[in-house]
Short mmCIF file of all heavy atoms in Angstrom, two decimals:
data_model
loop_
_atom_site.label_atom_id
_atom_site.label_comp_id
_atom_site.label_asym_id
_atom_site.label_seq_id
_atom_site.Cartn_x
_atom_site.Cartn_y
_atom_site.Cartn_z
N MET A 1 0.84 -1.20 0.00
CA MET A 1 0.00 0.00 0.00
C MET A 1 0.88 1.24 0.00
O MET A 1 1.78 1.38 0.81
CB MET A 1 -0.89 -0.02 1.24
CG MET A 1 -1.83 1.16 1.30
SD MET A 1 -3.00 0.96 2.65
CE MET A 1 -3.42 2.65 2.95
N THR A 2 0.60 2.10 -0.92
CA THR A 2 1.39 3.32 -1.03
C THR A 2 0.59 4.48 -0.44
O THR A 2 -0.53 4.74 -0.86
CB THR A 2 1.71 3.63 -2.50
OG1 THR A 2 2.35 2.50 -3.07
CG2 THR A 2 2.64 4.82 -2.60
N ALA A 3 1.18 5.12 0.52
CA ALA A 3 0.53 6.27 1.13
C ALA A 3 1.17 7.56 0.63
O ALA A 3 2.39 7.61 0.46
CB ALA A 3 0.63 6.19 2.63
N LEU A 4 0.34 8.53 0.40
CA LEU A 4 0.87 9.84 0.04
C LEU A 4 1.52 10.44 1.28
O LEU A 4 0.93 10.48 2.35
CB LEU A 4 -0.27 10.74 -0.43
CG LEU A 4 0.14 12.14 -0.88
CD1 LEU A 4 0.98 12.06 -2.14
CD2 LEU A 4 -1.10 12.98 -1.13
N ARG A 5 2.74 10.86 1.13
CA ARG A 5 3.46 11.41 2.26
C ARG A 5 3.15 12.89 2.41
O ARG A 5 3.38 13.67 1.50
CB ARG A 5 4.96 11.22 2.06
CG ARG A 5 5.75 11.47 3.31
CD ARG A 5 7.17 11.00 3.10
NE ARG A 5 8.01 11.50 4.18
CZ ARG A 5 9.25 11.92 3.99
NH1 ARG A 5 9.78 11.90 2.79
NH2 ARG A 5 9.95 12.36 5.00
N ILE A 6 2.58 13.24 3.52
CA ILE A 6 2.24 14.64 3.74
C ILE A 6 3.44 15.34 4.34
O ILE A 6 3.92 14.99 5.41
CB ILE A 6 1.02 14.77 4.67
CG1 ILE A 6 -0.18 14.11 3.99
CG2 ILE A 6 0.73 16.22 4.99
CD1 ILE A 6 -1.40 14.03 4.86
N THR A 7 3.94 16.31 3.62
CA THR A 7 5.16 16.97 4.06
C THR A 7 4.94 18.43 4.43
O THR A 7 5.81 19.05 5.02
CB THR A 7 6.23 16.91 2.96
OG1 THR A 7 5.70 17.49 1.77
CG2 THR A 7 6.66 15.48 2.68
N ALA A 8 3.80 18.95 4.08
CA ALA A 8 3.56 20.36 4.36
C ALA A 8 2.06 20.63 4.35
O ALA A 8 1.29 19.87 3.78
CB ALA A 8 4.24 21.24 3.32
N ALA A 9 1.70 21.70 5.00
CA ALA A 9 0.29 22.07 5.04
C ALA A 9 0.15 23.55 4.70
O ALA A 9 0.87 24.38 5.24
CB ALA A 9 -0.29 21.79 6.42
N LEU A 10 -0.76 23.81 3.80
CA LEU A 10 -1.03 25.19 3.41
C LEU A 10 -2.40 25.58 3.95
O LEU A 10 -3.38 24.92 3.67
CB LEU A 10 -1.00 25.31 1.89
CG LEU A 10 -1.29 26.67 1.28
CD1 LEU A 10 -0.23 27.68 1.69
CD2 LEU A 10 -1.35 26.57 -0.23
N PHE A 11 -2.42 26.61 4.75
CA PHE A 11 -3.67 27.09 5.33
C PHE A 11 -4.06 28.40 4.69
O PHE A 11 -3.27 29.33 4.67
CB PHE A 11 -3.52 27.31 6.85
CG PHE A 11 -3.14 26.06 7.58
CD1 PHE A 11 -1.81 25.74 7.80
CD2 PHE A 11 -4.12 25.20 8.05
CE1 PHE A 11 -1.45 24.58 8.48
CE2 PHE A 11 -3.77 24.04 8.73
CZ PHE A 11 -2.44 23.73 8.95
N VAL A 12 -5.27 28.45 4.20
CA VAL A 12 -5.74 29.68 3.57
C VAL A 12 -7.09 30.06 4.17
O VAL A 12 -8.01 29.25 4.21
CB VAL A 12 -5.89 29.52 2.04
CG1 VAL A 12 -6.38 30.82 1.41
CG2 VAL A 12 -4.59 29.09 1.41
N ASP A 13 -7.15 31.28 4.66
CA ASP A 13 -8.40 31.83 5.16
C ASP A 13 -8.83 32.91 4.18
O ASP A 13 -8.11 33.89 3.98
CB ASP A 13 -8.16 32.42 6.56
CG ASP A 13 -9.41 33.08 7.12
OD1 ASP A 13 -10.42 33.24 6.39
OD2 ASP A 13 -9.37 33.47 8.30
N LEU A 14 -9.95 32.69 3.52
CA LEU A 14 -10.34 33.61 2.46
C LEU A 14 -10.90 34.94 2.97
O LEU A 14 -11.13 35.85 2.20
CB LEU A 14 -11.37 32.94 1.54
CG LEU A 14 -10.81 31.74 0.77
CD1 LEU A 14 -11.91 31.07 -0.03
CD2 LEU A 14 -9.66 32.14 -0.13
N GLY A 15 -11.10 35.04 4.27
CA GLY A 15 -11.54 36.31 4.83
C GLY A 15 -12.99 36.63 4.51
O GLY A 15 -13.72 35.82 3.94
N ARG A 16 -13.36 37.82 4.89
CA ARG A 16 -14.73 38.27 4.65
C ARG A 16 -14.71 39.73 4.26
O ARG A 16 -13.91 40.50 4.75
CB ARG A 16 -15.54 38.12 5.95
CG ARG A 16 -16.30 36.84 6.03
CD ARG A 16 -17.15 36.74 7.28
NE ARG A 16 -16.67 37.46 8.43
CZ ARG A 16 -17.38 38.38 9.08
NH1 ARG A 16 -18.57 38.72 8.66
NH2 ARG A 16 -16.89 38.95 10.15
N ARG A 17 -15.61 40.11 3.40
CA ARG A 17 -15.73 41.52 3.08
C ARG A 17 -17.17 41.91 2.87
O ARG A 17 -18.02 41.08 2.58
CB ARG A 17 -14.88 41.90 1.87
CG ARG A 17 -15.27 41.23 0.59
CD ARG A 17 -14.41 41.78 -0.52
NE ARG A 17 -14.25 40.82 -1.60
CZ ARG A 17 -13.49 41.05 -2.68
NH1 ARG A 17 -12.83 42.18 -2.77
NH2 ARG A 17 -13.38 40.16 -3.60
N THR A 18 -17.41 43.18 3.03
CA THR A 18 -18.76 43.69 2.81
C THR A 18 -19.05 43.60 1.32
O THR A 18 -18.14 43.62 0.49
CB THR A 18 -18.86 45.16 3.25
OG1 THR A 18 -17.94 45.93 2.51
CG2 THR A 18 -18.58 45.31 4.74
N LYS A 19 -20.30 43.47 0.98
CA LYS A 19 -20.66 43.38 -0.44
C LYS A 19 -21.61 44.49 -0.80
O LYS A 19 -22.68 44.26 -1.34
CB LYS A 19 -21.24 42.02 -0.74
CG LYS A 19 -22.22 41.54 0.31
CD LYS A 19 -22.62 40.10 0.04
CE LYS A 19 -23.48 39.58 1.18
NZ LYS A 19 -23.86 38.21 1.06
N THR A 20 -21.22 45.67 -0.45
CA THR A 20 -22.12 46.79 -0.64
C THR A 20 -21.86 47.55 -1.92
O THR A 20 -22.77 47.98 -2.59
CB THR A 20 -22.00 47.78 0.53
OG1 THR A 20 -20.62 48.07 0.72
CG2 THR A 20 -22.57 47.18 1.79
N SER A 21 -20.60 47.68 -2.28
CA SER A 21 -20.30 48.61 -3.37
C SER A 21 -19.77 47.91 -4.61
O SER A 21 -19.39 46.74 -4.59
CB SER A 21 -19.28 49.64 -2.89
OG SER A 21 -18.12 48.95 -2.47
N ALA A 22 -19.73 48.63 -5.68
CA ALA A 22 -19.27 48.10 -6.96
C ALA A 22 -17.76 47.90 -6.96
O ALA A 22 -17.23 47.18 -7.80
CB ALA A 22 -19.68 49.05 -8.08
N ASP A 23 -17.07 48.53 -6.03
CA ASP A 23 -15.61 48.40 -6.02
C ASP A 23 -15.15 47.13 -5.29
O ASP A 23 -13.98 46.95 -5.01
CB ASP A 23 -14.96 49.64 -5.41
CG ASP A 23 -15.28 49.80 -3.93
OD1 ASP A 23 -15.98 48.94 -3.36
OD2 ASP A 23 -14.83 50.79 -3.35
N GLY A 24 -16.10 46.27 -4.99
CA GLY A 24 -15.72 45.00 -4.37
C GLY A 24 -15.91 44.99 -2.88
O GLY A 24 -15.71 43.97 -2.24
N GLY A 25 -16.27 46.11 -2.31
CA GLY A 25 -16.52 46.16 -0.87
C GLY A 25 -15.26 46.37 -0.07
O GLY A 25 -14.17 46.52 -0.61
N THR A 26 -15.43 46.35 1.23
CA THR A 26 -14.32 46.56 2.15
C THR A 26 -14.07 45.28 2.92
O THR A 26 -15.01 44.60 3.30
CB THR A 26 -14.68 47.69 3.15
OG1 THR A 26 -15.03 48.84 2.40
CG2 THR A 26 -13.52 48.00 4.06
N TRP A 27 -12.82 44.99 3.14
CA TRP A 27 -12.50 43.78 3.89
C TRP A 27 -12.88 43.95 5.35
O TRP A 27 -12.42 44.86 6.02
CB TRP A 27 -11.02 43.47 3.79
CG TRP A 27 -10.66 42.97 2.42
CD1 TRP A 27 -10.04 43.68 1.43
CD2 TRP A 27 -10.93 41.67 1.88
NE1 TRP A 27 -9.92 42.88 0.31
CE2 TRP A 27 -10.45 41.66 0.55
CE3 TRP A 27 -11.54 40.53 2.40
CZ2 TRP A 27 -10.55 40.53 -0.27
CZ3 TRP A 27 -11.65 39.41 1.58
CH2 TRP A 27 -11.16 39.42 0.27
N VAL A 28 -13.73 43.07 5.82
CA VAL A 28 -14.04 43.01 7.24
C VAL A 28 -12.92 42.25 7.93
O VAL A 28 -12.45 42.60 9.00
CB VAL A 28 -15.39 42.30 7.47
CG1 VAL A 28 -15.69 42.16 8.96
CG2 VAL A 28 -16.50 43.04 6.76
N GLN A 29 -12.52 41.20 7.26
CA GLN A 29 -11.42 40.38 7.74
C GLN A 29 -10.60 39.99 6.52
O GLN A 29 -11.08 39.27 5.66
CB GLN A 29 -11.98 39.14 8.44
CG GLN A 29 -10.94 38.34 9.16
CD GLN A 29 -11.55 37.07 9.73
OE1 GLN A 29 -12.67 37.06 10.20
NE2 GLN A 29 -10.83 35.98 9.65
N PRO A 30 -9.41 40.52 6.41
CA PRO A 30 -8.63 40.26 5.20
C PRO A 30 -8.21 38.80 5.11
O PRO A 30 -8.08 38.12 6.12
CB PRO A 30 -7.41 41.18 5.36
CG PRO A 30 -7.32 41.47 6.81
CD PRO A 30 -8.71 41.37 7.36
N PRO A 31 -8.01 38.31 3.89
CA PRO A 31 -7.56 36.94 3.71
C PRO A 31 -6.18 36.75 4.34
O PRO A 31 -5.37 37.68 4.39
CB PRO A 31 -7.48 36.78 2.19
CG PRO A 31 -8.14 37.95 1.61
CD PRO A 31 -8.16 39.03 2.62
N ARG A 32 -5.95 35.55 4.78
CA ARG A 32 -4.66 35.22 5.38
C ARG A 32 -4.22 33.86 4.88
O ARG A 32 -5.06 33.01 4.56
CB ARG A 32 -4.77 35.15 6.91
CG ARG A 32 -4.95 36.48 7.58
CD ARG A 32 -5.16 36.31 9.05
NE ARG A 32 -6.35 35.46 9.27
CZ ARG A 32 -6.76 35.08 10.47
NH1 ARG A 32 -6.12 35.44 11.54
NH2 ARG A 32 -7.83 34.32 10.58
N ALA A 33 -2.93 33.64 4.85
CA ALA A 33 -2.43 32.33 4.47
C ALA A 33 -1.12 32.06 5.20
O ALA A 33 -0.35 32.97 5.49
CB ALA A 33 -2.21 32.26 2.97
N ARG A 34 -0.90 30.80 5.51
CA ARG A 34 0.38 30.41 6.06
C ARG A 34 0.71 28.99 5.61
O ARG A 34 -0.18 28.23 5.24
CB ARG A 34 0.43 30.55 7.58
CG ARG A 34 -0.29 29.47 8.33
CD ARG A 34 -0.11 29.66 9.84
NE ARG A 34 -0.49 28.47 10.55
CZ ARG A 34 -1.74 28.12 10.86
NH1 ARG A 34 -2.72 28.91 10.52
NH2 ARG A 34 -1.99 27.01 11.49
N TYR A 35 1.96 28.68 5.66
CA TYR A 35 2.43 27.40 5.16
C TYR A 35 3.30 26.78 6.24
O TYR A 35 4.22 27.43 6.74
CB TYR A 35 3.24 27.65 3.89
CG TYR A 35 3.86 26.43 3.25
CD1 TYR A 35 3.21 25.74 2.23
CD2 TYR A 35 5.14 26.01 3.62
CE1 TYR A 35 3.80 24.65 1.62
CE2 TYR A 35 5.74 24.92 3.02
CZ TYR A 35 5.07 24.24 2.01
OH TYR A 35 5.67 23.17 1.41
N GLU A 36 2.98 25.57 6.59
CA GLU A 36 3.78 24.88 7.60
C GLU A 36 4.46 23.68 6.97
O GLU A 36 3.81 22.79 6.46
CB GLU A 36 2.90 24.44 8.77
CG GLU A 36 2.39 25.61 9.58
CD GLU A 36 1.53 25.16 10.75
OE1 GLU A 36 1.43 23.95 11.01
OE2 GLU A 36 0.94 26.04 11.39
N CYS A 37 5.77 23.68 7.03
CA CYS A 37 6.54 22.56 6.50
C CYS A 37 6.76 21.56 7.63
O CYS A 37 7.27 21.92 8.69
CB CYS A 37 7.87 23.04 5.94
SG CYS A 37 8.88 21.67 5.34
N LEU A 38 6.36 20.33 7.38
CA LEU A 38 6.49 19.32 8.42
C LEU A 38 7.86 18.67 8.42
O LEU A 38 8.20 17.92 9.32
CB LEU A 38 5.40 18.26 8.23
CG LEU A 38 3.97 18.82 8.19
CD1 LEU A 38 2.98 17.70 7.94
CD2 LEU A 38 3.64 19.56 9.46
N LEU A 39 8.65 18.95 7.40
CA LEU A 39 9.98 18.37 7.32
C LEU A 39 10.98 19.18 8.14
O LEU A 39 11.74 18.63 8.92
CB LEU A 39 10.44 18.29 5.87
CG LEU A 39 9.63 17.36 4.96
CD1 LEU A 39 10.15 17.45 3.53
CD2 LEU A 39 9.69 15.94 5.46
N CYS A 40 10.98 20.48 7.95
CA CYS A 40 11.94 21.32 8.68
C CYS A 40 11.26 22.10 9.80
O CYS A 40 11.89 22.86 10.51
CB CYS A 40 12.66 22.27 7.72
SG CYS A 40 11.62 23.54 7.00
N ARG A 41 9.96 21.90 9.95
CA ARG A 41 9.17 22.53 11.00
C ARG A 41 9.25 24.05 10.97
O ARG A 41 9.38 24.71 11.99
CB ARG A 41 9.60 22.01 12.37
CG ARG A 41 9.30 20.53 12.47
CD ARG A 41 9.89 19.90 13.69
NE ARG A 41 9.74 18.44 13.64
CZ ARG A 41 8.70 17.78 14.12
NH1 ARG A 41 7.73 18.44 14.69
NH2 ARG A 41 8.63 16.49 14.03
N THR A 42 9.18 24.54 9.77
CA THR A 42 9.19 25.99 9.58
C THR A 42 7.79 26.44 9.19
O THR A 42 7.10 25.75 8.45
CB THR A 42 10.17 26.37 8.46
OG1 THR A 42 11.48 26.06 8.88
CG2 THR A 42 10.09 27.85 8.13
N THR A 43 7.39 27.57 9.72
CA THR A 43 6.15 28.19 9.28
C THR A 43 6.49 29.42 8.46
O THR A 43 7.25 30.27 8.91
CB THR A 43 5.27 28.59 10.47
OG1 THR A 43 4.96 27.42 11.21
CG2 THR A 43 3.98 29.23 10.00
N GLU A 44 5.95 29.49 7.27
CA GLU A 44 6.13 30.67 6.43
C GLU A 44 4.84 31.48 6.49
O GLU A 44 3.76 30.93 6.45
CB GLU A 44 6.41 30.27 4.99
CG GLU A 44 7.62 29.36 4.88
CD GLU A 44 8.70 29.95 4.00
OE1 GLU A 44 8.66 31.16 3.72
OE2 GLU A 44 9.59 29.20 3.61
N GLY A 45 4.99 32.77 6.60
CA GLY A 45 3.82 33.60 6.78
C GLY A 45 3.50 33.74 8.25
O GLY A 45 4.37 33.46 9.08
N PRO A 46 2.32 34.12 8.66
CA PRO A 46 1.20 34.35 7.76
C PRO A 46 1.33 35.64 6.96
O PRO A 46 1.99 36.58 7.41
CB PRO A 46 0.02 34.44 8.71
CG PRO A 46 0.60 34.90 10.01
CD PRO A 46 1.99 34.34 10.05
N VAL A 47 0.74 35.64 5.79
CA VAL A 47 0.63 36.86 5.01
C VAL A 47 -0.83 37.29 5.04
O VAL A 47 -1.72 36.48 5.23
CB VAL A 47 1.10 36.65 3.55
CG1 VAL A 47 2.57 36.32 3.50
CG2 VAL A 47 0.29 35.57 2.85
N LYS A 48 -1.04 38.57 4.88
CA LYS A 48 -2.39 39.13 4.97
C LYS A 48 -2.69 39.99 3.76
O LYS A 48 -1.82 40.68 3.26
CB LYS A 48 -2.47 40.03 6.22
CG LYS A 48 -3.24 39.42 7.36
CD LYS A 48 -3.54 40.49 8.37
CE LYS A 48 -3.07 40.10 9.75
NZ LYS A 48 -3.35 41.15 10.73
N GLY A 49 -3.93 39.94 3.34
CA GLY A 49 -4.38 40.78 2.23
C GLY A 49 -4.54 39.95 0.98
O GLY A 49 -3.82 38.98 0.77
N PRO A 50 -5.52 40.31 0.14
CA PRO A 50 -5.87 39.49 -1.02
C PRO A 50 -4.71 39.28 -1.99
O PRO A 50 -4.53 38.18 -2.51
CB PRO A 50 -7.03 40.26 -1.67
CG PRO A 50 -7.00 41.62 -1.08
CD PRO A 50 -6.38 41.49 0.28
N ILE A 51 -3.94 40.29 -2.25
CA ILE A 51 -2.86 40.15 -3.24
C ILE A 51 -1.71 39.35 -2.65
O ILE A 51 -1.18 38.44 -3.29
CB ILE A 51 -2.39 41.54 -3.71
CG1 ILE A 51 -3.53 42.22 -4.48
CG2 ILE A 51 -1.15 41.41 -4.61
CD1 ILE A 51 -3.32 43.70 -4.73
N ALA A 52 -1.38 39.64 -1.41
CA ALA A 52 -0.29 38.91 -0.76
C ALA A 52 -0.62 37.43 -0.64
O ALA A 52 0.23 36.57 -0.89
CB ALA A 52 -0.03 39.51 0.63
N VAL A 53 -1.86 37.12 -0.32
CA VAL A 53 -2.27 35.73 -0.18
C VAL A 53 -2.22 35.01 -1.52
O VAL A 53 -1.74 33.89 -1.63
CB VAL A 53 -3.69 35.64 0.44
CG1 VAL A 53 -4.28 34.24 0.26
CG2 VAL A 53 -3.63 36.00 1.91
N GLN A 54 -2.70 35.68 -2.55
CA GLN A 54 -2.70 35.09 -3.88
C GLN A 54 -1.28 34.76 -4.34
O GLN A 54 -1.01 33.67 -4.84
CB GLN A 54 -3.35 36.07 -4.85
CG GLN A 54 -3.72 35.46 -6.18
CD GLN A 54 -4.48 36.45 -7.06
OE1 GLN A 54 -4.31 37.66 -6.95
NE2 GLN A 54 -5.33 35.95 -7.92
N GLU A 55 -0.37 35.69 -4.11
CA GLU A 55 1.02 35.47 -4.52
C GLU A 55 1.67 34.37 -3.67
O GLU A 55 2.42 33.54 -4.17
CB GLU A 55 1.81 36.78 -4.39
CG GLU A 55 1.41 37.78 -5.45
CD GLU A 55 2.09 39.13 -5.27
OE1 GLU A 55 2.79 39.33 -4.25
OE2 GLU A 55 1.91 39.99 -6.15
N PHE A 56 1.37 34.41 -2.39
CA PHE A 56 1.93 33.43 -1.46
C PHE A 56 1.52 32.02 -1.85
O PHE A 56 2.35 31.11 -1.95
CB PHE A 56 1.44 33.79 -0.05
CG PHE A 56 2.01 32.92 1.04
CD1 PHE A 56 3.28 33.14 1.53
CD2 PHE A 56 1.24 31.91 1.60
CE1 PHE A 56 3.79 32.35 2.55
CE2 PHE A 56 1.73 31.12 2.62
CZ PHE A 56 3.02 31.34 3.10
N VAL A 57 0.22 31.84 -2.08
CA VAL A 57 -0.30 30.52 -2.43
C VAL A 57 0.27 30.04 -3.76
O VAL A 57 0.57 28.86 -3.94
CB VAL A 57 -1.85 30.56 -2.48
CG1 VAL A 57 -2.43 29.29 -3.11
CG2 VAL A 57 -2.41 30.76 -1.08
N ALA A 58 0.45 30.97 -4.67
CA ALA A 58 0.95 30.60 -6.00
C ALA A 58 2.40 30.13 -5.96
O ALA A 58 2.81 29.28 -6.74
CB ALA A 58 0.82 31.78 -6.95
N ARG A 59 3.18 30.66 -5.01
CA ARG A 59 4.61 30.36 -5.07
C ARG A 59 5.13 29.48 -3.95
O ARG A 59 6.17 28.84 -4.12
CB ARG A 59 5.42 31.67 -5.08
CG ARG A 59 5.35 32.41 -3.76
CD ARG A 59 6.33 33.55 -3.68
NE ARG A 59 6.18 34.26 -2.43
CZ ARG A 59 6.67 33.83 -1.28
NH1 ARG A 59 7.36 32.71 -1.22
NH2 ARG A 59 6.47 34.50 -0.17
N ILE A 60 4.43 29.39 -2.82
CA ILE A 60 5.05 28.79 -1.65
C ILE A 60 5.34 27.31 -1.82
O ILE A 60 6.34 26.80 -1.30
CB ILE A 60 4.20 29.07 -0.38
CG1 ILE A 60 5.02 28.77 0.88
CG2 ILE A 60 2.90 28.28 -0.39
CD1 ILE A 60 6.24 29.63 1.05
N ARG A 61 4.51 26.62 -2.55
CA ARG A 61 4.72 25.17 -2.68
C ARG A 61 5.92 24.82 -3.56
O ARG A 61 6.38 23.69 -3.55
CB ARG A 61 3.45 24.48 -3.18
CG ARG A 61 2.51 24.21 -2.01
CD ARG A 61 1.25 23.50 -2.44
NE ARG A 61 0.36 24.43 -3.13
CZ ARG A 61 -0.96 24.30 -3.16
NH1 ARG A 61 -1.53 23.29 -2.57
NH2 ARG A 61 -1.70 25.18 -3.77
N THR A 62 6.37 25.78 -4.32
CA THR A 62 7.61 25.54 -5.06
C THR A 62 8.77 26.27 -4.38
O THR A 62 9.89 25.79 -4.38
CB THR A 62 7.49 26.01 -6.53
OG1 THR A 62 6.97 27.33 -6.54
CG2 THR A 62 6.58 25.09 -7.30
N ASP A 63 8.48 27.42 -3.80
CA ASP A 63 9.54 28.20 -3.15
C ASP A 63 10.07 27.54 -1.90
O ASP A 63 11.27 27.46 -1.70
CB ASP A 63 9.02 29.60 -2.77
CG ASP A 63 9.23 30.59 -3.89
OD1 ASP A 63 9.36 30.16 -5.05
OD2 ASP A 63 9.24 31.80 -3.60
N HIS A 64 9.18 27.09 -1.04
CA HIS A 64 9.69 26.52 0.21
C HIS A 64 10.53 25.27 0.00
O HIS A 64 11.63 25.19 0.53
CB HIS A 64 8.61 26.27 1.26
CG HIS A 64 9.21 25.72 2.50
ND1 HIS A 64 9.81 26.51 3.45
CD2 HIS A 64 9.44 24.44 2.88
CE1 HIS A 64 10.35 25.73 4.36
NE2 HIS A 64 10.14 24.47 4.05
N PRO A 65 10.05 24.30 -0.78
CA PRO A 65 10.88 23.11 -0.99
C PRO A 65 12.26 23.44 -1.55
O PRO A 65 13.23 22.75 -1.26
CB PRO A 65 10.06 22.28 -1.98
CG PRO A 65 8.65 22.67 -1.68
CD PRO A 65 8.71 24.14 -1.36
N ALA A 66 12.35 24.50 -2.33
CA ALA A 66 13.64 24.89 -2.89
C ALA A 66 14.59 25.38 -1.80
O ALA A 66 15.81 25.27 -1.92
CB ALA A 66 13.45 25.98 -3.95
N ASN A 67 14.02 25.92 -0.73
CA ASN A 67 14.84 26.45 0.36
C ASN A 67 14.80 25.59 1.61
O ASN A 67 15.43 25.91 2.61
CB ASN A 67 14.34 27.86 0.74
CG ASN A 67 14.45 28.82 -0.42
OD1 ASN A 67 15.47 28.85 -1.10
ND2 ASN A 67 13.42 29.59 -0.65
N CYS A 68 14.03 24.53 1.55
CA CYS A 68 13.82 23.73 2.75
C CYS A 68 15.10 23.04 3.18
O CYS A 68 15.77 22.39 2.39
CB CYS A 68 12.75 22.68 2.47
SG CYS A 68 12.36 21.68 3.91
N THR A 69 15.42 23.19 4.45
CA THR A 69 16.67 22.61 4.95
C THR A 69 16.56 21.10 5.08
O THR A 69 17.56 20.41 5.20
CB THR A 69 17.01 23.21 6.31
OG1 THR A 69 15.90 23.03 7.19
CG2 THR A 69 17.33 24.69 6.20
N ALA A 70 15.34 20.57 5.06
CA ALA A 70 15.13 19.13 5.21
C ALA A 70 14.80 18.46 3.88
O ALA A 70 14.45 17.31 3.82
CB ALA A 70 14.02 18.87 6.21
N ASN A 71 14.93 19.21 2.81
CA ASN A 71 14.47 18.73 1.50
C ASN A 71 15.46 17.80 0.82
O ASN A 71 15.09 17.04 -0.04
CB ASN A 71 14.20 19.93 0.60
CG ASN A 71 13.41 19.53 -0.64
OD1 ASN A 71 12.55 18.66 -0.58
ND2 ASN A 71 13.70 20.14 -1.76
N HIS A 72 16.70 17.88 1.22
CA HIS A 72 17.73 17.09 0.54
C HIS A 72 17.90 15.78 1.28
O HIS A 72 18.70 15.67 2.20
CB HIS A 72 19.03 17.88 0.47
CG HIS A 72 18.83 19.27 -0.04
ND1 HIS A 72 18.61 19.53 -1.35
CD2 HIS A 72 18.76 20.45 0.61
CE1 HIS A 72 18.44 20.83 -1.50
NE2 HIS A 72 18.51 21.42 -0.34
N GLN A 73 17.13 14.81 0.87
CA GLN A 73 17.13 13.54 1.57
C GLN A 73 18.49 12.89 1.50
O GLN A 73 19.04 12.71 0.43
CB GLN A 73 16.05 12.64 0.98
CG GLN A 73 14.67 13.20 1.30
CD GLN A 73 13.57 12.35 0.67
OE1 GLN A 73 13.85 11.38 0.02
NE2 GLN A 73 12.34 12.75 0.89
N GLY A 74 19.03 12.56 2.66
CA GLY A 74 20.32 11.92 2.71
C GLY A 74 21.47 12.90 2.82
O GLY A 74 22.50 12.60 3.39
N ALA A 75 21.27 14.10 2.29
CA ALA A 75 22.34 15.09 2.31
C ALA A 75 22.57 15.65 3.72
O ALA A 75 23.68 16.00 4.09
CB ALA A 75 22.04 16.22 1.35
N HIS A 76 21.49 15.73 4.46
CA HIS A 76 21.59 16.26 5.81
C HIS A 76 21.09 15.21 6.80
O HIS A 76 20.14 15.45 7.51
CB HIS A 76 20.78 17.53 5.97
CG HIS A 76 21.28 18.65 5.12
ND1 HIS A 76 22.41 19.36 5.42
CD2 HIS A 76 20.81 19.18 3.98
CE1 HIS A 76 22.60 20.27 4.49
NE2 HIS A 76 21.64 20.19 3.61
N ALA A 77 21.67 14.08 6.79
CA ALA A 77 21.26 13.03 7.72
C ALA A 77 21.50 13.51 9.14
O ALA A 77 22.62 13.78 9.53
CB ALA A 77 22.01 11.75 7.44
N ALA A 78 20.43 13.65 9.88
CA ALA A 78 20.56 14.20 11.22
C ALA A 78 20.85 13.09 12.23
O ALA A 78 20.23 12.06 12.20
CB ALA A 78 19.29 14.93 11.61
ZN1 ZN B 1 10.82 22.85 4.97
#
C-alpha cells in the first residue's frame, strides 16, 4: 500500500468583506495564508491581504521546498 506522504500544510483563510459597493466592498477580515513545513518545522507567513495571499499561495509550494533545509534527503542526515 502506497501512502501519500504529507510533508507540508497550506492554510488559507479567504476572509470576509462587505458586499455593498461596486468596487468590491471593504475587507471586514482580510484573507490570510500560512504554510507549515512538516519536514523542517518551519512556518512561512502568515501573510495578509488578497494580493499577498494570492502570490503566497501561487509560489510557496515551489519556493519553500527549494529552500527547505530538510528537503535534501540523505544530504543532511541528522
Ligand atoms: Zn521545509
Side-chain angles (χ1 to χ4, degrees):
M1 182 172 156
T2 305
L4 182 67
R5 193 169 167 219
I6 297 173
T7 56
L10 178 64
F11 300 91
V12 181
D13 177 351
L14 295 176
R16 265 183 331 123
R17 63 176 153 183
T18 60
K19 43 188 174 183
T20 50
S21 59
D23 66 1
T26 304
W27 288 103
V28 177
Q29 189 185 322
R32 288 176 302 177
R34 76 177 195 279
Y35 178 94
E36 291 181 7
C37 178
L38 305 178
L39 296 177
C40 68
R41 296 171 188 270
T42 294
T43 300
E44 303 240 16
V47 296
K48 255 194 234 179
I51 294 167
V53 165
Q54 194 175 28
E55 289 175 354
F56 184 80
V57 169
R59 69 170 177 79
I60 195 62
R61 276 181 285 208
T62 49
D63 270 22
H64 181 82
N67 299 315
C68 182
T69 55
N71 194 35
H72 311 285
Q73 292 178 0
H76 296 285

